[in-house]
Amino acid sequence: MDEQYDVIILGTGFKECVLSGLLAVDGLKVLHMDRNNYYGGASASLNLNQLYQQFKNGAAAPTELGQSRDYNVDLVPKFITATGLMVKMLLHTDVVRYLEFKQVEGSFVFRGGKIYKVPATDKEALASSLMGLFEKRRCQKFLSFVQEFDRNDPKTHGKDIERKTPKEMMSKDWSLDDDTIDFIGHSLALYLNDDYLNVPGGCFDLIERMKLYAESLARYQKSPYIYPLYGLGELPQAFARLAAIYGGTYMLNKPVDEVIYEDGVAVGVKSEGETAKCKFIVADPSYFPNKVKRTGQVIRVICLLNHPIPDTNNADSCQIILPQKQIKRKNDIYISCISSTHNVVPKGKWLAIVSSTVETADPVGELKPGLALLGPIAEQFVSITDTFVPEADGTKDKVFISDSYDATSHFETTCQDVLAIYKRITGKDLVLKPKEQDEDHAI
């Protein structure tokens, strides 16, 4: 460890491991450390014994739940949009060759006390029972407009779209009612709350989000999402393998005793009597509590089930979004469900994780509408985590800190943070170009 590196990365969360791989491929000498004895950090996947150790004060897991090694439970549940940034990163780095994926079977939305399949195309809108006949027609026309929209072709834009808010465009131009707007913004565009509605010029972002959903859905038909076998903990390990191939050094179970500064700039790290020098540091927020500010909390309730979620057509995997207006909240509730087909629980078990941004002093109570959809719960584990963002961008002190993982059910905001950090470090945008894929490693 007593040597010079270009970068020292602290924490093996998903973001840190992706940056480790990207920077190693760029030719930088990387030292990657983690105080834990496992990969993943806040975004790790745990076995059953680790779950009970972390959330049940070390109690023994009941034998009826099966073997501990058959569980790979994500602490931060997220699905991968099939044509989104995550897939582009996997193809750009060729990390896809280390992973296997399976389609998520269904995408649903909660409305009026019931669960409905999410329609994403004009044809699906006409067939959906979510809307009345006349509203279906209006929604179908709007979705056709979105599908034909080309940002570089003003003829496809409509009138004054550059200045309008999404609310004005949908309600005035297309005469969509509030419930349909609610469904579009939260189930297709995947916004966490309604802040987007009143952003002037925000129509472009709304439409791009909707097109991403529709294009991802077209890829696999049943839903726009895919998920790696054996859990999301496979992702940081795959990017760590990439970094190692390019000469990166990894040290687990390695505490950080001190960060060394010269003239206010980070130049190294001390650990167990050894010192590693570097030009800059990348870290998750837990390593620099004095350089981040708290933005709120996210609650996630991990639930083990002996059955699929009711009213999802016995899906082996699915997402359910409960839009905030439907449950009288400021933020949506997300349900991610996977099963033994993804090698994350034993056969005959399902894993459902209900999550949202905390709004009150009773976080678990806030999730009751989501938990009520699951049916009988065999066991549950409650995780409430603070969320942080860095106070500075890292360009002055050369400490580049990632944001905490938000409550979104997908990887788009996570990947955007990775790209932003990469640009702050290198001064250039990361251009994601897929490498040629053979059939065995295609997504």
Side-chain angles (χ1 to χ4, degrees), residues 90-124:
L90 291 169
L91 294 174
H92 171 81
T93 57
D94 207 22
V95 163
V96 63
R97 68 174 55 249
Y98 307 129
L99 300 161
E100 288 186 74
F101 295 90
K102 187 173 176 63
Q103 179 189 5
V104 174
E105 198 167 314
S107 181
F108 299 87
V109 61
F110 178 81
R111 179 169 167 183
K114 294 182 179 180
I115 297 174
Y116 297 87
K117 185 183 183 300
V118 176
T121 65
D122 52 351
K123 291 181 180 178
E124 286 195 342

Side-chain angles (χ1 to χ4, degrees), residues 144-157:
S144 295
F145 160 73
V146 169
Q147 288 169 356
E148 294 171 5
F149 182 88
D150 181 349
R151 188 159 191 163
N152 297 316
D153 183 0
K155 293 179 182 179
T156 67
H157 290 185

Side-chain angles (χ1 to χ4, degrees), residues 12-14 36-51 54-55 68-78 99 227-237 302 338 342-345 351 353 411:
T12 54
F14 169 76
N36 299 310
N37 61 1
Y38 55 84
Y39 284 93
S43 56
S45 298
L46 304 183
N47 62 37
L48 191 61
N49 289 340
Q50 289 171 325
L51 271 180
Q54 184 158 330
F55 297 108
S68 173
R69 65 175 180 270
D70 291 334
Y71 288 81
N72 294 287
V73 178
D74 301 328
L75 294 180
V76 178
K78 290 184 184 292
L99 300 161
Y227 181 84
L229 296 185
Y230 302 101
L232 296 179
E234 294 295 296
L235 292 172
Q237 292 190 63
I302 300 165
I338 42 184
H342 302 86
N343 299 337
V344 294
V345 288
L351 170 65
I353 305 179
F411 271 101

Side-chain angles (χ1 to χ4, degrees), residues 79 217 219 228 281 308 374 424 437:
F79 289 146
L217 181 66
R219 189 83 175 263
I281 291 173
L374 303 185
R424 295 203 300 272
Q437 301 293 315

Side-chain angles (χ1 to χ4, degrees), residues 11 79 100 122 127 176 205 237 290 293 295 301 319 338 363 421:
F79 289 146
E100 288 186 74
D122 52 351
L176 300 177
D205 184 61
Q237 292 190 63
N290 62 327
K293 57 184 177 183
T295 56
V301 179
Q319 174 183 265
I338 42 184
I421 295 172

Side-chain angles (χ1 to χ4, degrees), residues 182-209:
D182 195 42
F183 142 70
I184 287 172
H186 296 267
S187 301
L188 299 183
L190 302 176
Y191 287 106
L192 271 171
N193 52 48
D194 275 350
D195 292 349
Y196 79 97
L197 281 173
N198 299 308
V199 177
C203 299
F204 286 120
D205 184 61
L206 169 68
I207 292 169
E208 292 302 327
R209 284 168 171 255

Side-chain angles (χ1 to χ4, degrees), residues 313-374:
N313 301 320
N314 294 317
D316 61 33
S317 56
C318 67
Q319 174 183 265
I320 305 172
I321 295 177
L322 288 75
Q324 34 106 322
K325 278 186 180 177
Q326 298 293 321
I327 47 179
K328 296 178 171 59
R329 284 173 49 80
K330 296 177 182 177
N331 295 277
D332 294 356
I333 292 176
Y334 296 97
I335 301 174
S336 302
C337 182
I338 42 184
S339 65
S340 58
T341 60
H342 302 86
N343 299 337
V344 294
V345 288
K347 194 170 183 179
K349 303 288 184 187
W350 279 257
L351 170 65
I353 305 179
V354 186
S355 56
S356 188
T357 302
V358 173
E359 298 178 8
T360 71
D362 180 20
V364 176
E366 294 181 43
L367 294 188
K368 280 184 178 179
L371 295 169
L373 298 177
L374 303 185

